[in-house]
Amino acid sequence: MTNDIASLVAVSFGVGIIIGLTGMGGGALMTPALIFLGVPPTSAVANDLVAASVNKSVGAAVHWHKGAPNLALAGWLIVGSVPTAFAGAFIVKGVGGVADHEALVKTALGFALLLTATTYALRQFLALHQRIIVTVDDPPIRILRTVLIGAVGGLCVGITSVGSGSLIMVALLILYPGLSAIRLVGTDLVQSIPLVAAAALSHVLVTGVDWSVLIPLIVGGTPGTFLGARLAHKASQSLLRRGITIILAITGVGMLGAPPWAIASTALGLVTLGPLVWASIRVRLGLSPFIRWPELKFRGA
């Protein structure tokens, strides 16, 4: 294998583990990684979506076997997300020439990553407030709001490949706070299969796929997602998401064309000040400033 193929397999394996563990971070991590490895933005989105439609199916199958998904909730999300996800590639195609397409995707991706980082942080904040709640596996479905969440998330995925496991996940947590974490992940993975497949199909029709990129993504991502899904019941999802939040914010700033000093300042601020701000929030809520091992069992750790 060439170094490029080895890099793609290694990165997709790592991202696959995160997808399986948390249901989040697929497009938000994989698409920027492909761009940094030299893949054009539109091609990165297309290939990532096609690979994700395969890799997420593996994670969904594991969660389905364990009885985690809420199928009614997933069904209403699919009603809203599939049409808008399919429209994404055609919206990008309608904007100017090839250079405009690449610029649009890269800019949209930058904003999507920053929005995703913000929603990750919001999810952690909400989880701290909701750490002692009654868990409900099958809450009453709020149909209109659920369909709207699917539609907005589907459009974001269709244009940037980001959102199926991040923006939608946080919106579900806000709308259905009693849904257990493992149920939330399983539901999101199930609804993301037709969502990502619809977005992938439209991008294949418009852009096509690069087999030298796609095959390594599937080869690395499929076992990674399977492994992550198997470990989902044991891992501390809150710690994973904090790390992802920092990575996404830094990457988003980079995608928007910020100068190196701005990227470095963002990274330094998040790494040094972020934990202090979070510790302060925990203290205000009556918790210890830093996580203790028993707390890892709770959603709000």
Side-chain angles (χ1 to χ4, degrees):
M1 298 197 315
T2 65
N3 289 334
D4 288 341
I5 293 177
S7 298
L8 288 172
V9 171
V11 170
S12 61
F13 180 76
V15 173
I17 291 176
I18 295 174
I19 294 172
L21 279 171
T22 68
M24 308 170 78
L29 294 176
M30 194 67 249
T31 301
L34 290 177
I35 294 174
F36 288 140
L37 289 173
V39 179
T42 52
S43 179
V45 170
N47 286 280
D48 178 51
L49 284 170
V50 175
S53 65
V54 176
N55 298 336
K56 287 201 171 190
S57 297
V58 175
V62 174
H63 281 275
W64 189 307
H65 178 70
K66 293 180 179 295
N70 183 311
L71 297 181
L73 180 55
W76 285 112
L77 287 169
I78 291 168
V79 169
S81 66
V82 169
T84 56
F86 185 78
F90 296 97
I91 292 174
V92 173
K93 183 181 179 180
V95 179
V98 175
D100 296 317
H101 299 166
E102 305 295 348
L104 172 62
V105 171
K106 193 170 182 179
T107 301
L109 180 60
F111 282 113
L113 291 175
L114 292 177
L115 178 60
T116 303
T118 302
T119 59
Y120 272 31
L122 176 61
R123 177 174 183 175
Q124 291 295 299
F125 179 75
L126 290 173
L128 282 178
H129 281 277
Q130 298 168 350
R131 63 188 183 279
I132 303 176
I133 58 175
V134 177
T135 299
V136 181
D137 284 341
D138 298 299
I141 306 297
R142 300 177 181 179
I143 295 177
L144 183 59
R145 296 180 186 180
T146 301
V147 172
L148 182 60
I149 289 172
V152 174
L155 182 61
C156 188
V157 173
I159 294 176
T160 68
S161 81
V162 175
S164 65
S166 51
L167 302 179
I168 290 179
M169 183 87 86
V170 174
L172 288 179
L173 179 63
I174 296 173
L175 192 59
Y176 301 102
L179 203 61
S180 64
I182 192 64
R183 193 80 160 168
L184 196 66
V185 173
T187 300
D188 181 73
L189 281 171
V190 168
Q191 69 84 25
S192 69
I193 295 174
L195 159 59
V196 173
L201 176 60
S202 67
H203 277 274
V204 169
L205 294 174
V206 173
T207 306
V209 296
D210 184 342
W211 293 103
S212 65
V213 174
L214 177 59
I215 292 176
L217 294 186
I218 295 176
V219 169
T222 300
T225 305
F226 176 81
L227 177 60
R230 295 286 294 180
L231 298 174
H233 291 74
K234 302 177 181 180
S236 170
Q237 308 229 342
S238 61
L239 290 177
L240 287 170
R241 292 192 184 105
R242 289 181 210 178
I244 294 174
T245 300
I246 294 175
I247 294 172
L248 293 182
I250 297 170
T251 306
V253 172
M255 286 287 108
L256 292 175
W261 65 265
I263 299 175
S265 298
T266 301
L268 182 62
L270 290 173
V271 172
T272 58
L273 299 180
L276 297 178
V277 172
W278 191 252
S280 175
I281 292 174
R282 288 176 58 86
V283 170
R284 287 178 176 272
L285 294 175
L287 301 171
S288 61
F290 300 103
I291 299 175
R292 294 172 297 185
W293 178 252
E295 285 188 66
L296 296 180
K297 298 179 181 178
F298 295 97
R299 292 172 62 191

